Amino acid sequence: MDRLDNTVRPYAWGSTTAIPALLGTEPTGEPQAEMWMGAHPGAPSRTGRGTLAEVVDADPEKELGAASAAKFGPRLPFLLKLLAAGAPLSLQVHPDLSQARQGYEDEERRSVPLDAPHRNYKDANHKPELICALTEFDGLCGFRAPAETADLLDGLGVASLKPYVDLLRAHPEDAALREVLTAILTADPEEMSRTVTETAAACDRLGGAYAPYADIAHHYPGDPGVLAAMLLNHVRLQPGEALFLGAGIPHAYLDGLGVEIMANSDNVLRCGLTPKHVDVPELLRIVRFEAGDPGILRPEASPDGEEVYDTPIDEFRLSRYVLPEGSGVHDLTLPTPQILLCTAGTVRAGEHELAPGRSVFVPADETTEVSGSGTVFRATVRV
């Protein structure tokens, strides 16, 4: 079992206080957006045996277990994070496995440099993800029913929104969403900026259901992503609740602290709320134009105290143990690799005492016992 020393990424949208408060450290004044736990080459966790990527590479079958290595290859297939949003992230969508492979192979064939700003596919993997709230957490997830969005936009009284309102009311659901998103992202930039400015002022004046979009516009004035965001469901998670983001589902995180887990990929197609490249044709190929309930997940408890967040993919499995004082020792031994992350109280994992924000990597089949009083998240795989 290896204690992990993890990198905190200073993305501009990150909270300056949430991760330091969890870790019990002083804020630096700079944003601290994500703390990465895993073997992703962008920021692998460090251990006493080298980086976690080096540890896994040295003996994949021993560290990952035979079943995981056979199913996912000689790499840790998930990345665990603490995510602290102090401002809205870019509105984005992720490809499925087939789309990622096709996109990656196409850009490789065209010799698009991996670090090129217009590159869409950094690898050939998909990126399903799950976010579990540690604090109240705001986000956008999936398309709202077009008729409801039409009513929302119509209520703003902004004349330049009328064509979008009419489209949303006049077409079948998938065609309506596709046409409106396409129109928003391909509109004349100056005209769109004026429309967004008027829309933001109306949202700010009316408040209520419009308040989240007024805040988004405050951070991204004139950005067409503000209107794109209004097509999506606004979701407010309470601590312990989660969202699963599958392929093709547009989403954005707005504010709050959570535990995030994803397949080990960096493939993102952006829809707006960003100065980065927006590839509209490729985005429209990836997005699933389906409206629906975002589907808030709550953990399912098992007799041994494990609370599991059930998702339909195999690259990761996230659960938590909420350990009351005097609950004894819990055996967490598995034939698959694990990362254990403490988020509250003090938890002992093997020989390591974990305070909030501290984590360990557990190789497959290593005897793993936890005790103490607090909350520990367990990340592993399904085989």
Side-chain angles (χ1 to χ4, degrees), residues 5-7 36-47 51-54:
D5 179 17
N6 304 304
T7 297
W36 288 22
M37 291 158 279
H40 191 285
S45 299
R46 297 168 294 279
T47 79
T51 70
L52 189 54
E54 292 167 342

Side-chain angles (χ1 to χ4, degrees), residues 86-175:
L89 281 68
S90 62
L91 193 61
Q92 60 190 256
V93 68
H94 306 304
D96 64 26
L97 192 54
S98 174
Q99 292 164 338
R101 287 172 176 168
Q102 292 171 12
Y104 181 78
E105 289 169 3
D106 174 64
E107 290 184 324
E108 287 291 280
R109 187 168 52 250
R110 293 189 286 115
S111 300
V112 180
L114 271 176
D115 59 354
H118 62 285
R119 173 112 187 192
N120 293 314
Y121 297 95
K122 304 298 176 64
D123 53 67
N125 200 16
H126 62 165
K127 193 188 176 187
E129 59 190 41
L130 177 79
I131 183 77
C132 176
L134 294 179
T135 64
E136 197 170 75
F137 193 98
D138 278 13
L140 304 172
C141 179
F143 289 110
R144 188 189 295 108
E148 294 178 16
T149 300
D151 291 343
L152 189 76
L153 296 181
D154 201 23
L156 289 167
V158 175
S160 54
L161 293 178
K162 188 175 186 306
Y164 305 127
V165 172
D166 292 343
L167 281 171
L168 289 166
R169 288 177 172 161
H171 291 280
E173 180 178 281
D174 58 344

